[in-house]
Amino acid sequence: QVQLVESGGGLVQAGGSLRLSCTDSGRTFSDYAMGWFRQAPGKEREFVAGINWRGDSKKYVDSVKGRFTISRDNVKNTVYLQMSRLEPEDTARYYCAAALSMSTIMQQISWGPGTQVTVSS
């Protein structure tokens, strides 16, 4: 059972930073690869970052490489997305999701309700 809830979104000026958190209230968090996705109005939901169960393998969409860092704490059942040098183009609702592995990160089995990130110019 995976029950995900995101937090940490908000309004920030361009160039600023935010750290998103996603906590699993279930009991099988460490069994899953985790990913962050985002969706802006008028756009499809897109993959942002993923991390395997151990936390030693990560992947990012090109547009956030060097700016965003995904990490996880399996003791706290939490995955993080540290976002720096935010740009207005990063404005979106951010969702975390669980997958069976990094190989199937695009085949999510559970989603959180999302948290809004708005970046002003």
Side-chain angles (χ1 to χ4, degrees), residues 46-65:
E46 68 171 341
F47 169 80
V48 177
I51 187 168
N52 72 337
W53 70 270
R54 192 187 298 272
D56 60 355
S57 180
K58 304 174 183 180
K59 61 189 302 184
Y60 301 91
V61 67
D62 286 346
S63 61
V64 309
K65 288 181 178 178

Side-chain angles (χ1 to χ4, degrees), residues 4-7 20-24 29 34 36 77-79 96:
L4 305 173
V5 178
E6 303 92 339
S7 64
L20 306 183
S21 299
C22 175
T23 298
D24 175 27
F29 178 79
M34 300 296 298
W36 286 96
N77 288 354
T78 300
V79 61
C96 67

Side-chain angles (χ1 to χ4, degrees), residues 1 6 20 22 25 34 41 44-45 55 57 71 84 90 103 115 118:
Q1 185 179 29
E6 303 92 339
L20 306 183
C22 175
S25 62
M34 300 296 298
E44 296 292 322
R45 186 172 298 186
S57 180
S71 62
S84 61
D90 296 317
S103 297
T115 185
T118 302

Side-chain angles (χ1 to χ4, degrees), residues 2 8 10 16 18 23-24 34 41 53 68 87 104 107 112 114-115 118-119:
V2 183
L18 285 173
T23 298
D24 175 27
M34 300 296 298
W53 70 270
F68 291 9
E87 305 169 352
T104 58
Q107 297 174 315
T115 185
T118 302
V119 184

